[in-house]
Amino acid sequence: MRASLSNRQGMLYDLVRYHLGWVDERGNPVDGTPTPLHYCGVLALAAAEAVSGDYRPAVPAASSVELAYNFVLVHNDVQAGRIDQRDDRPSIWWVWGPSQAINAGDGLHALARSELMRLAEGGASADTVLAALRSLDQACLTLCEGQYMDLTYQDQLMVSEPDYLDMIRRKSGALAGCSAQLGALAVGADADTADCLRQWGENLGMARQIRDDVADLWGSTGDGFTASNVLNKKKSLPIIHALQHAETSDKRELGGIYMKRVLEPDDSARIVAILDGTASREYAEKHTAELLDGADAAVSTGNVRLRQPAALQQATEWVIGGAVV
């Protein structure tokens, strides 16, 4: 990722480096740990290692996916009016304004596509590079579809479970699936193997999203902590389950809370209490387990040729057990 910016100078690229945690607001190098990487890039490396025993040819693919994910993050910060980044530094739009933040996000998207072309340096054919670019572009477009659906559902009281699952398949599954597919393509996997790995990654991305939904409502220790996306009225699987299965009085109360123009912090505790009464957390965790089973099934067929399948299990455990990002 650093190499993709090494020869690019100017304020636009300083904004990008700032977002990635490499420089401060004045463009000076930052000591310490940079912004944590997203899990999607890991899936490309794991897929490549599983297929060939060597993750290194997939490094450009992993870098590309990380850059693409960060273009989404920059735009999300503008959409949500999020003042702080995930490392508690001010967001780009807060420092330089939303217009420049959009420019930086667009730049990250272009860098992601350019980075993917480096697959040719590792010996990938022109056809493979073209297929990889097509996969990345489709994943980014599908992700934007999911983002649109997610924003739309915030204004709807009732969202069906199939609609929610379709939304997170696009929003959280598409890029994860693309990353795994790119890793497979980078090491010369056949079409069937690459597609099965795409399915593996898509299921894993959806499982991670539901896991994050649960963590956002209950906290990592189950202590009832509620984060900002509840206050933003986002519809997650536990809430959808409760709206469908709670007692009538609890449904009315949930509906009343969600009909408010702005939720108050005390409303969050009441939402969690209703979810606890309908076993909505357990339901969501069960669905997470089913998605993980689906991910395992996708790469357990006779069409998948893997040299080191343990790499996929290690990646799964790391992604599902990792910190919320």
Side-chain angles (χ1 to χ4, degrees), residues 2-279:
R2 290 181 183 272
S4 70
L5 286 158
S6 61
N7 296 321
R8 301 182 188 276
Q9 303 302 319
M11 193 59 188
L12 173 66
Y13 303 109
D14 284 343
L15 264 63
V16 170
R17 293 184 181 96
Y18 172 85
H19 171 77
L20 295 172
W22 301 345
V23 301
D24 62 19
E25 295 175 26
R26 296 177 178 84
N28 299 315
V30 173
D31 294 329
T33 304
T35 302
L37 296 175
H38 190 54
Y39 68 86
C40 274
V42 173
L43 303 187
L45 304 180
E49 185 170 354
V51 171
S52 71
D54 187 1
Y55 70 86
R56 287 172 294 183
V59 167
S63 175
S64 172
V65 170
E66 289 286 345
L67 291 166
Y69 176 73
N70 276 280
F71 115 73
V72 176
L73 281 187
V74 172
H75 286 184
N76 280 355
D77 287 344
V78 176
Q79 290 174 346
R82 189 179 294 112
I83 296 175
D84 292 330
Q85 292 187 159
R86 288 144 188 80
D87 56 358
D88 294 327
R89 297 195 310 163
S91 299
I92 288 179
W93 78 267
W94 184 251
V95 180
W96 289 281
S99 296
Q100 294 292 17
I102 292 170
N103 283 334
D106 291 347
L108 279 160
H109 180 248
L111 285 168
R113 300 187 85 252
S114 296
E115 183 72 359
L116 200 54
M117 295 180 190
R118 288 183 52 226
L119 288 174
E121 297 174 10
S125 68
D127 286 344
T128 297
V129 175
L130 180 60
L133 283 169
R134 184 184 299 115
S135 177
L136 180 67
D137 286 345
Q138 183 58 58
C140 289
L141 183 59
T142 302
L143 191 158
C144 290
E145 293 170 359
Q147 297 275 51
Y148 176 87
M149 295 166 70
D150 192 21
L151 290 171
T152 299
Y153 292 164
Q154 291 180 39
D155 297 324
Q156 298 179 15
L157 178 58
M158 296 302 296
V159 176
S160 71
E161 184 175 318
D163 284 344
Y164 166 82
L165 294 174
D166 184 34
M167 181 269 290
I168 66 167
R169 179 185 64 79
R170 298 167 191 262
K171 176 186 171 185
S172 303
L175 193 60
C178 167
S179 184
Q181 183 182 35
L182 294 183
L185 290 173
V187 293
D190 60 79
D192 286 342
T193 296
D195 187 61
C196 288
L197 281 163
R198 180 193 60 76
Q199 296 175 43
W200 169 76
E202 182 177 284
N203 274 274
L204 194 55
M206 293 174 68
R208 173 61 181 249
Q209 180 62 62
I210 297 176
R211 196 221 69 158
D212 287 356
D213 287 348
V214 170
D216 196 70
L217 283 159
W218 283 274
S220 59
T221 60
D223 56 6
F225 169 79
T226 306
S228 61
N229 69 355
V230 174
L231 299 180
N232 289 336
K233 303 185 181 182
K234 286 195 173 184
K235 305 303 186 299
S236 62
L237 185 58
I239 290 173
I240 291 169
H241 178 264
L243 285 169
Q244 292 176 342
H245 299 283
E247 297 292 334
T248 302
S249 59
D250 287 336
K251 288 182 181 179
R252 289 198 188 102
E253 186 174 0
L254 273 178
I257 292 172
Y258 269 81
M259 288 298 289
K260 292 182 178 180
R261 183 174 295 274
V262 178
L263 296 185
E264 301 172 2
D266 290 345
D267 292 327
S268 302
R270 183 55 192 152
I271 290 173
V272 171
I274 294 173
L275 299 183
D276 286 339
T278 56

